[in-house]
Amino acid sequence: MNAVTTTAGPGAEQEFALSAADFTRIRELIYQRAGISLHEGKQAMVYSRLSRRLRETGRTSFSQYLQWLEQARGADAEAEWQQFVNCLTTNLTAFFREPHHFEALQLDLRARAARPLRLWCNAASTGEEPYSLAMTAVETLGASAQVKLVCSDIDTKVLATAERGVYATDARGLSPERLKRHFLRGSGANAGFMRVKPELARMIEFRPFNLMSASWSALGEPFDLVFCRNVMIYFDNATQRKVLEGMHRALKPGGLMYVGHSENFTDARDLFRLRGKTIYERV
Ligand SMILES: C[S@@+](CC[C@H](N)C(=O)[O-])C[C@H]1O[C@@H](n2cnc3c(N)ncnc32)[C@H](O)[C@@H]1O
């Protein structure tokens, strides 16, 4: 590795050169690929997230890395584009995050339980959210609940963690009762970890999905309920509108979309009406 040392900010010694033009290009590329709008102030974040890729691929500057990424073709290029996206997503999540949604979910599941239900948890990150949905379904409708969940994210690394279903036993948001009921505790080398029980895992199908995709129909039959939380905050208004149109198509009429605490779509009245606190009903 021939890393150059350069100063890329006021007083900051940096291993790799990240020019203003490189930063602008990175912002354009992640917007095109993932719809994510990175603010001007995110230069340090971009540096810390992507410098690992430069090190791992043996590039000596951001401009060299970007030039190579944009010119590369074939499977290696696709794999690196995925790494690029994985590095720039923000994956904060927790079990039963925004607990009021899970109280509402119990009622919504009961009201619709007469037929098999299809749920979609997108932008699901490391899986705490879809497993919280599955736990709620089992607790509300019983272990034989006719509920199937699709769990997706653009980031293949977090999706692999979700599919593994292994978490630290002190994970945030999970009560001791739920831990006991829905997880198997590790022992020996696995002490301090727990694995989701098979009855929860088998309810969930994991698949990568980019909300910028043009092929929403690949998701299959329309959903009864969709969780799309804390991802649209990264999108600009035009991108949010496109995603809302996709959500509208992906939901059954009368289906519900649960969104994050700081996300407000009351302007999209032609698509959704506010049904509860950050819960929208498809028009
Ligand atoms: C802050 S996390 C939210 C996790 C979870 N929904 C929650 O509320 O706890 C945002 C997630 O959105 C995903 N994401 C970002 N852009 C995306 C896109 N274009 N398509 C699908 N997922 C995306 C990220 O990979 C990340 O895992």
Side-chain angles (χ1 to χ4, degrees):
M1 185 184 72
N2 304 311
V4 288
T5 301
T6 161
T7 304
E13 269 298 294
Q14 304 277 22
E15 184 182 358
F16 302 109
L18 174 62
S19 68
D22 298 333
F23 179 56
T24 301
R25 191 69 195 127
I26 291 166
R27 289 175 69 195
E28 288 165 358
L29 292 172
I30 194 64
Y31 181 75
Q32 286 161 14
R33 292 259 155 180
I36 295 172
S37 295
L38 280 180
H39 300 295
E40 278 289 349
K42 295 290 184 186
Q43 191 148 342
M45 183 202 91
V46 163
Y47 184 92
S48 77
R49 302 257 190 102
L50 273 182
S51 50
R52 187 172 51 82
R53 286 314 302 153
L54 272 65
R55 233 169 270 127
E56 286 171 1
T57 57
R59 309 295 138 175
T60 57
S61 71
F62 278 86
S63 65
Q64 197 193 58
Y65 173 74
L66 290 171
Q67 202 180 3
W68 167 67
L69 185 63
E70 291 194 79
Q71 283 171 1
R73 295 285 172 271
D76 284 356
E78 267 323 298
E80 190 55 38
W81 275 114
Q82 185 64 57
Q83 293 280 1
F84 175 82
V85 169
N86 289 0
C87 285
L88 293 175
T89 55
T90 298
N91 309 115
L92 183 78
T93 189
F95 287 107
F96 295 94
R97 183 181 188 187
E98 299 175 39
H100 68 94
H101 274 164
F102 295 91
E103 289 160 23
L105 178 64
Q106 287 185 6
L107 302 177
D108 294 329
L109 287 171
R110 266 195 208 110
R112 289 154 199 261
R115 52 180 198 279
L117 296 176
R118 260 171 73 71
L119 275 51
W120 179 26
C121 183
N122 60 67
S125 190
T126 38
E128 289 86 338
E129 187 179 41
Y131 290 122
S132 301
L133 267 84
M135 284 185 253
T136 305
V138 166
E139 290 168 14
T140 310
L141 304 177
S144 57
Q146 294 288 295
V147 175
K148 287 279 174 216
L149 259 145
V150 174
C151 162
S152 67
D153 200 287
I154 193 175
D155 181 335
T156 50
K157 188 162 179 236
V158 292
L159 199 61
T161 302
E163 189 157 14
R164 207 173 309 124
V166 174
Y167 300 92
T169 48
D170 61 359
R172 205 154 48 89
L174 205 62
S175 65
E177 295 73 30
R178 281 193 165 128
L179 192 160
K180 197 158 175 250
R181 176 164 178 189
H182 299 292
F183 292 83
L184 302 164
R185 269 181 184 275
S187 58
N190 296 320
F193 291 94
M194 57 188 185
R195 181 187 287 279
V196 168
K197 284 192 179 168
E199 55 261 38
L200 282 195
R202 77 169 74 96
M203 293 168 72
I204 309 180
E205 178 200 338
F206 297 88
R207 55 191 297 179
F209 187 77
N210 182 353
L211 292 167
M212 299 303 108
S213 160
S215 23
W216 286 59
S217 55
L219 291 165
E221 291 295 300
F223 295 97
D224 296 277
L225 307 173
V226 168
F227 270 54
C228 181
R229 305 193 308 167
N230 305 304
V231 61
M232 298 254 234
I233 37 169
Y234 300 104
F235 301 158
D236 62 17
N237 287 344
T239 307
Q240 286 185 355
R241 174 72 202 186
K242 260 196 273 167
V243 175
L244 288 175
E245 287 169 2
M247 289 293 161
H248 185 264
R249 283 193 301 277
L251 272 163
K252 291 180 183 166
L256 299 177
M257 176 178 72
Y258 299 63
V259 305
H261 58 283
S262 57
E263 294 163 330
N264 184 321
F265 305 117
T266 44
D267 282 350
R269 282 184 197 87
D270 54 325
L271 303 176
F272 291 97
R273 78 168 70 91
L274 191 61
R275 230 285 310 266
K277 189 175 162 197
T278 54
I279 303 175
Y280 290 84
E281 182 176 336
R282 179 212 195 269
V283 173

